Each structure stands twice: as structure tokens, then as C-alpha cells.
Coordinates of all heavy atoms in Angstrom, one line a residue:
M1 N -4.3 14.9 0.8 CA -4.6 15.2 2.1 C -4.0 16.5 2.5 O -4.7 17.3 3.3 CB -4.0 14.1 3.0 CG -4.6 14.0 4.4 SD -4.0 12.6 5.2 CE -5.5 12.2 6.1
A2 N -2.9 16.9 2.0 CA -2.3 18.2 2.3 C -3.1 19.3 1.7 O -3.2 20.4 2.3 CB -0.8 18.2 1.8
H3 N -3.7 19.0 0.5 CA -4.5 20.1 -0.1 C -5.7 20.3 0.7 O -6.2 21.5 0.9 CB -4.9 19.7 -1.5 CG -3.7 19.6 -2.4 ND1 -3.0 20.7 -2.8 CD2 -3.1 18.6 -3.0 CE1 -2.0 20.4 -3.6 NE2 -2.1 19.1 -3.8
W4 N -6.3 19.3 1.3 CA -7.5 19.4 2.1 C -7.2 20.2 3.4 O -7.9 21.1 3.7 CB -8.0 18.0 2.5 CG -9.2 18.1 3.5 CD1 -10.5 18.2 3.2 CD2 -9.1 18.1 4.9 NE1 -11.2 18.3 4.4 CE2 -10.4 18.2 5.5 CE3 -8.0 18.0 5.8 CZ2 -10.6 18.2 6.8 CZ3 -8.3 18.0 7.2 CH2 -9.6 18.1 7.7
A5 N -6.0 19.9 4.0 CA -5.6 20.7 5.2 C -5.4 22.2 4.9 O -5.8 23.0 5.7 CB -4.4 20.1 5.8
E6 N -4.9 22.4 3.7 CA -4.6 23.8 3.3 C -6.0 24.5 3.1 O -6.2 25.7 3.5 CB -3.8 23.9 2.1 CG -3.3 25.3 1.7 CD -2.3 25.3 0.6 OE1 -2.1 24.2 -0.1 OE2 -1.8 26.4 0.3
E7 N -6.9 23.9 2.3 CA -8.2 24.5 2.0 C -9.0 24.7 3.3 O -9.8 25.7 3.3 CB -8.9 23.6 1.0 CG -8.3 23.7 -0.4 CD -8.9 22.6 -1.3 OE1 -9.8 21.9 -0.9 OE2 -8.5 22.6 -2.5
N8 N -8.9 23.8 4.3 CA -9.7 23.9 5.4 C -9.0 24.5 6.7 O -9.6 24.4 7.8 CB -10.3 22.5 5.8 CG -11.2 22.1 4.7 OD1 -12.3 22.6 4.6 ND2 -10.8 21.1 3.9
H9 N -7.8 25.1 6.5 CA -7.1 25.7 7.5 C -6.9 24.8 8.7 O -7.2 25.2 9.9 CB -7.8 27.0 8.0 CG -8.1 27.9 6.8 ND1 -7.1 28.7 6.2 CD2 -9.2 28.2 6.2 CE1 -7.7 29.3 5.2 NE2 -8.9 29.1 5.2
K10 N -6.3 23.7 8.5 CA -6.0 22.7 9.5 C -4.5 22.4 9.7 O -3.7 22.9 8.9 CB -6.7 21.3 9.2 CG -8.2 21.4 9.0 CD -8.9 21.7 10.3 CE -10.4 21.8 10.0 NZ -11.2 22.1 11.2
V11 N -4.2 21.7 10.7 CA -2.8 21.3 10.9 C -2.7 19.8 10.6 O -3.5 19.0 11.1 CB -2.4 21.5 12.4 CG1 -0.9 21.0 12.6 CG2 -2.4 23.0 12.8
L12 N -1.8 19.4 9.8 CA -1.6 18.0 9.4 C -0.2 17.6 9.9 O 0.8 18.2 9.6 CB -1.6 17.9 7.9 CG -1.5 16.5 7.3 CD1 -2.6 15.6 7.7 CD2 -1.5 16.6 5.7
V13 N -0.2 16.5 10.7 CA 1.0 16.0 11.3 C 1.2 14.6 11.0 O 0.3 13.7 11.2 CB 0.9 16.1 12.9 CG1 2.2 15.6 13.5 CG2 0.7 17.6 13.3
F14 N 2.4 14.2 10.4 CA 2.8 12.9 10.1 C 3.8 12.5 11.2 O 5.0 12.9 11.1 CB 3.4 12.8 8.7 CG 2.5 13.0 7.6 CD1 2.3 14.3 7.1 CD2 1.7 12.0 7.1 CE1 1.4 14.5 6.1 CE2 0.8 12.2 6.1 CZ 0.7 13.5 5.6
T15 N 3.4 11.8 12.2 CA 4.2 11.5 13.4 C 5.4 10.6 13.1 O 6.5 10.9 13.7 CB 3.4 10.9 14.5 OG1 2.7 9.7 14.0 CG2 2.3 11.9 15.0
D16 N 5.3 9.6 12.2 CA 6.4 8.8 12.0 C 7.5 9.5 11.3 O 8.7 9.2 11.5 CB 6.0 7.6 11.1 CG 5.1 6.6 11.8 OD1 5.1 6.7 13.1 OD2 4.5 5.7 11.2
D17 N 7.2 10.5 10.4 CA 8.2 11.2 9.6 C 8.6 12.5 10.3 O 9.5 13.2 9.8 CB 7.7 11.5 8.2 CG 7.3 10.2 7.5 OD1 8.1 9.2 7.7 OD2 6.3 10.1 6.8
G18 N 7.8 13.0 11.3 CA 8.1 14.2 11.9 C 7.8 15.4 11.0 O 8.4 16.5 11.2
I19 N 6.8 15.3 10.1 CA 6.4 16.4 9.2 C 5.2 17.0 9.7 O 4.2 16.4 10.0 CB 6.2 15.8 7.8 CG1 7.5 15.3 7.2 CG2 5.6 16.9 6.9 CD1 7.4 14.6 5.9
T20 N 5.2 18.3 9.9 CA 4.0 19.1 10.3 C 3.7 20.2 9.3 O 4.6 21.0 8.9 CB 4.2 19.8 11.7 OG1 4.5 18.8 12.6 CG2 3.0 20.6 12.1
L21 N 2.5 20.2 8.8 CA 2.0 21.3 7.9 C 0.9 22.0 8.6 O -0.1 21.5 9.0 CB 1.4 20.7 6.6 CG 2.4 19.9 5.7 CD1 1.6 19.1 4.6 CD2 3.4 20.8 5.2
D22 N 1.2 23.3 8.9 CA 0.3 24.2 9.7 C -0.4 25.2 8.8 O 0.3 26.1 8.3 CB 1.1 24.8 10.8 CG 0.2 25.6 11.8 OD1 -1.0 25.7 11.6 OD2 0.8 26.1 12.8
Y23 N -1.7 25.0 8.5 CA -2.4 25.9 7.6 C -3.5 26.7 8.4 O -4.5 27.1 7.8 CB -3.1 25.1 6.5 CG -2.1 24.5 5.5 CD1 -1.9 23.2 5.5 CD2 -1.3 25.3 4.7 CE1 -1.0 22.6 4.6 CE2 -0.4 24.8 3.9 CZ -0.2 23.4 3.8 OH 0.6 22.9 2.9
R24 N -3.3 26.8 9.7 CA -4.3 27.6 10.5 C -4.5 29.0 10.0 O -3.5 29.6 9.5 CB -4.0 27.6 12.0 CG -4.1 26.2 12.6 CD -3.7 26.2 14.0 NE -2.2 26.4 14.1 CZ -1.5 26.4 15.2 NH1 -2.2 26.3 16.4 NH2 -0.2 26.5 15.2
E25 N -5.7 29.5 10.2 CA -6.0 30.9 9.7 C -5.1 31.9 10.5 O -4.8 31.7 11.7 CB -7.4 31.3 9.9 CG -8.3 30.6 9.0 CD -9.8 31.1 9.0 OE1 -9.9 32.3 9.1 OE2 -10.7 30.3 9.0
G26 N -4.6 32.9 9.8 CA -3.8 33.9 10.4 C -2.3 33.5 10.4 O -1.5 34.3 10.8
R27 N -2.0 32.3 9.9 CA -0.6 31.9 9.9 C 0.0 32.1 8.5 O -0.7 31.7 7.5 CB -0.4 30.4 10.2 CG -1.0 30.0 11.5 CD -0.1 30.1 12.7 NE 1.1 29.4 12.4 CZ 1.9 29.0 13.4 NH1 1.6 29.3 14.6 NH2 3.0 28.4 13.1
E28 N 1.1 32.8 8.3 CA 1.7 33.0 7.0 C 2.5 31.8 6.7 O 2.9 31.0 7.5 CB 2.6 34.3 7.0 CG 1.8 35.5 7.2 CD 2.7 36.8 7.1 OE1 3.8 36.6 6.5 OE2 2.3 37.8 7.6
S29 N 2.7 31.6 5.4 CA 3.5 30.5 4.9 C 5.0 30.7 5.4 O 5.5 31.8 5.3 CB 3.5 30.5 3.4 OG 4.3 29.4 2.9
S30 N 5.6 29.7 6.0 CA 6.9 29.8 6.5 C 7.9 28.9 5.7 O 7.4 28.0 5.0 CB 6.9 29.4 8.0 OG 6.6 28.0 8.1
V31 N 9.1 29.1 5.9 CA 10.1 28.3 5.3 C 10.0 26.8 5.8 O 10.1 25.9 5.0 CB 11.6 28.8 5.6 CG1 12.6 27.9 5.1 CG2 11.8 30.2 5.0
G32 N 9.7 26.7 7.1 CA 9.5 25.3 7.6 C 8.3 24.6 7.0 O 8.4 23.4 6.7
N33 N 7.3 25.3 6.7 CA 6.1 24.7 6.1 C 6.4 24.3 4.6 O 6.0 23.3 4.2 CB 4.9 25.7 6.1 CG 3.6 25.1 6.4 OD1 3.6 24.0 7.0 ND2 2.5 25.7 6.1
E34 N 7.2 25.2 3.9 CA 7.5 24.9 2.6 C 8.5 23.7 2.5 O 8.3 22.8 1.6 CB 8.2 26.1 1.9 CG 7.2 27.3 1.7 CD 6.0 27.0 1.0 OE1 6.1 26.3 -0.1 OE2 4.9 27.4 1.4
L35 N 9.4 23.6 3.4 CA 10.3 22.4 3.4 C 9.5 21.2 3.8 O 9.8 20.1 3.2 CB 11.4 22.6 4.5 CG 12.5 23.6 4.1 CD1 13.5 23.8 5.2 CD2 13.3 23.0 2.9
A36 N 8.6 21.3 4.6 CA 7.7 20.1 5.0 C 7.0 19.6 3.7 O 6.9 18.4 3.5 CB 6.8 20.4 6.1
K37 N 6.5 20.5 2.9 CA 5.8 20.2 1.7 C 6.8 19.4 0.7 O 6.4 18.4 0.1 CB 5.2 21.4 1.0 CG 4.0 21.9 1.5 CD 3.3 22.8 0.5 CE 3.2 24.2 1.1 NZ 2.6 25.2 0.2
V38 N 8.0 19.9 0.6 CA 9.0 19.3 -0.2 C 9.3 17.8 0.3 O 9.3 16.9 -0.5 CB 10.3 20.1 -0.3 CG1 11.4 19.3 -1.0 CG2 10.0 21.4 -1.0
F39 N 9.5 17.7 1.5 CA 9.8 16.4 2.1 C 8.6 15.4 1.9 O 8.8 14.2 1.6 CB 10.2 16.4 3.6 CG 11.5 17.0 3.8 CD1 11.7 18.1 4.7 CD2 12.6 16.5 3.1 CE1 13.0 18.6 4.9 CE2 13.9 17.0 3.3 CZ 14.1 18.1 4.2
L40 N 7.4 16.0 2.0 CA 6.2 15.1 1.8 C 6.1 14.7 0.4 O 5.8 13.5 0.1 CB 5.0 15.9 2.2 CG 3.6 15.2 2.2 CD1 3.7 14.0 3.1 CD2 2.5 16.2 2.6
M41 N 6.4 15.6 -0.6 CA 6.4 15.2 -2.0 C 7.4 14.1 -2.3 O 7.2 13.2 -3.0 CB 6.6 16.4 -2.9 CG 5.4 17.3 -3.0 SD 5.5 18.6 -4.2 CE 7.0 19.5 -3.6
L42 N 8.6 14.3 -1.7 CA 9.7 13.3 -1.9 C 9.3 11.9 -1.3 O 9.6 10.9 -1.9 CB 11.0 13.8 -1.3 CG 11.7 15.0 -2.0 CD1 12.9 15.5 -1.2 CD2 12.1 14.6 -3.4
A43 N 8.7 12.0 -0.2 CA 8.4 10.7 0.5 C 7.2 10.0 -0.2 O 7.2 8.8 -0.2 CB 7.9 11.0 1.9
S44 N 6.4 10.7 -0.9 CA 5.3 10.1 -1.6 C 5.6 9.7 -3.0 O 4.8 9.0 -3.7 CB 4.1 11.0 -1.6 OG 4.3 12.2 -2.3
S45 N 6.7 10.1 -3.6 CA 7.1 9.7 -4.9 C 7.5 8.3 -5.0 O 8.2 7.8 -4.1 CB 8.1 10.7 -5.5 OG 9.3 10.5 -4.8
P46 N 7.3 7.6 -6.1 CA 7.7 6.2 -6.2 C 9.2 6.1 -6.4 O 9.8 7.0 -6.9 CB 6.9 5.7 -7.5 CG 6.7 7.0 -8.3 CD 6.5 8.1 -7.3
P47 N 9.8 5.0 -6.0 CA 11.2 4.8 -6.2 C 11.6 4.7 -7.7 O 10.7 4.3 -8.5 CB 11.5 3.5 -5.5 CG 10.3 2.8 -5.4 CD 9.2 3.8 -5.4
G48 N 12.8 5.0 -8.0 CA 13.2 4.9 -9.4 C 13.4 3.5 -9.8 O 13.3 2.6 -9.0
P49 N 13.6 3.3 -11.1 CA 13.8 1.9 -11.6 C 15.1 1.3 -11.1 O 16.1 1.9 -10.9 CB 13.9 2.1 -13.1 CG 14.4 3.5 -13.3 CD 13.8 4.3 -12.2
R50 N 15.0 0.0 -10.9 CA 16.1 -0.8 -10.4 C 16.9 -1.3 -11.6 O 16.4 -1.6 -12.6 CB 15.7 -2.0 -9.6 CG 15.0 -1.6 -8.3 CD 14.7 -2.9 -7.5 NE 14.2 -2.5 -6.2 CZ 14.3 -3.3 -5.2 NH1 14.9 -4.4 -5.3 NH2 13.9 -2.9 -4.0
K51 N 18.2 -1.3 -11.4 CA 19.1 -1.9 -12.4 C 19.3 -3.4 -12.2 O 19.6 -3.8 -11.1 CB 20.5 -1.2 -12.4 CG 20.3 0.3 -12.7 CD 21.7 1.0 -12.8 CE 21.4 2.4 -13.1 NZ 22.6 3.1 -13.6
P52 N 19.0 -4.2 -13.2 CA 19.1 -5.6 -13.0 C 20.5 -6.1 -12.7 O 21.4 -5.5 -13.2 CB 18.5 -6.2 -14.3 CG 18.7 -5.1 -15.3 CD 18.6 -3.8 -14.5
G53 N 20.6 -7.1 -11.8 CA 21.9 -7.7 -11.6 C 22.8 -7.0 -10.7 O 24.0 -7.4 -10.5
R54 N 22.4 -5.9 -10.0 CA 23.3 -5.2 -9.1 C 23.2 -5.7 -7.7 O 24.2 -6.2 -7.2 CB 23.0 -3.7 -9.1 CG 23.2 -3.0 -10.4 CD 24.7 -2.8 -10.6 NE 25.0 -2.2 -11.8 CZ 26.2 -2.1 -12.3 NH1 27.2 -2.6 -11.7 NH2 26.3 -1.5 -13.5
A55 N 22.1 -5.6 -7.0 CA 22.0 -6.0 -5.6 C 22.0 -7.5 -5.4 O 21.1 -8.1 -6.0 CB 20.8 -5.3 -5.0
G56 N 22.8 -8.0 -4.7 CA 22.8 -9.4 -4.3 C 23.3 -10.4 -5.4 O 23.1 -11.6 -5.3
S57 N 23.8 -9.9 -6.5 CA 24.3 -10.7 -7.6 C 25.6 -11.3 -7.2 O 26.4 -10.7 -6.6 CB 24.3 -10.0 -8.9 OG 25.3 -8.9 -8.8
R58 N 25.9 -12.5 -7.7 CA 27.2 -13.2 -7.4 C 27.9 -13.3 -8.8 O 27.4 -13.5 -9.8 CB 26.9 -14.5 -6.8 CG 26.3 -14.5 -5.5 CD 26.2 -15.9 -4.9 NE 25.5 -15.8 -3.6 CZ 26.2 -15.9 -2.5 NH1 27.5 -16.0 -2.4 NH2 25.5 -15.8 -1.3
C59 N 29.2 -13.2 -8.7 CA 30.1 -13.3 -9.8 C 30.2 -14.7 -10.2 O 30.5 -15.6 -9.4 CB 31.4 -12.7 -9.5 SG 32.6 -12.7 -10.9
Q60 N 30.0 -15.0 -11.5 CA 30.2 -16.4 -12.1 C 31.6 -16.4 -12.8 O 31.6 -16.2 -14.0 CB 29.1 -16.7 -13.0 CG 27.7 -16.7 -12.4 CD 27.6 -17.9 -11.4 OE1 28.1 -19.0 -11.6 NE2 26.7 -17.7 -10.4
C61 N 32.6 -16.5 -12.1 CA 34.0 -16.4 -12.6 C 34.5 -17.8 -13.0 O 34.3 -18.8 -12.3 CB 34.9 -15.8 -11.7 SG 34.4 -14.1 -11.2
D62 N 35.2 -17.9 -14.1 CA 35.9 -19.1 -14.5 C 37.2 -19.2 -13.7 O 37.9 -18.3 -13.6 CB 36.3 -19.1 -16.0 CG 35.0 -19.2 -16.9 OD1 34.0 -19.8 -16.5 OD2 35.1 -18.6 -18.0
Q63 N 37.4 -20.4 -13.2 CA 38.6 -20.6 -12.4 C 39.6 -21.6 -13.0 O 39.3 -22.6 -13.5 CB 38.3 -21.1 -11.0 CG 37.5 -20.0 -10.3 CD 37.1 -20.3 -8.9 OE1 37.4 -21.4 -8.4 NE2 36.5 -19.4 -8.2

């Protein structure tokens, strides 16, 4: 979707995340636009693998 906005000189806004990509004609690439792209890539990447037995595991200790 971001590529479409860039190719068609549009503004793309993700309201829940507060990310705005502004590709209107006559606008130069800004630091804010580049940071928004990075945050968008991070938000769209899948989470890493989970380690088994960590979250919510209970200790089975001998007493």
C-alpha cells in the first residue's frame, strides 16, 4: 500500500498507529517520512519465534 501511495503521489495515514506517509508532488523526502517507513516495516513484520516453557510456566519442584 505504501508503494502505491508513493507511485501515485498520495498521502497515506494509519490513524491507529499515528503513521503518516506524505508522497504529494513537490514534497521532498523528509526525515519524518523515512522514520514513518521504518516504523511501518517494523509493525508489519511477523513476531520472532517463541521460546517454549517461558511465559506462564509453573515450576514442578520436589518438596
Side-chain angles (χ1 to χ4, degrees):
M1 198 170 217
H3 294 292
W4 175 87
E6 186 173 11
E7 290 171 0
N8 293 289
H9 307 287
K10 302 292 181 184
V11 177
L12 181 61
V13 179
F14 294 93
T15 55
D16 288 346
D17 300 321
I19 297 174
T20 301
L21 297 172
D22 188 354
Y23 294 113
R24 292 178 286 183
E25 288 190 44
R27 306 271 305 198
E28 292 185 21
S29 182
S30 67
V31 173
N33 221 21
E34 295 303 316
L35 284 175
K37 281 195 244 181
V38 170
F39 288 128
L40 184 59
M41 286 189 299
L42 291 174
S44 65
S45 64
R50 291 185 175 207
K51 295 185 180 195
R54 293 286 180 191
S57 64
R58 295 184 182 258
C59 179
Q60 301 288 330
C61 301
D62 294 328
Q63 295 182 356

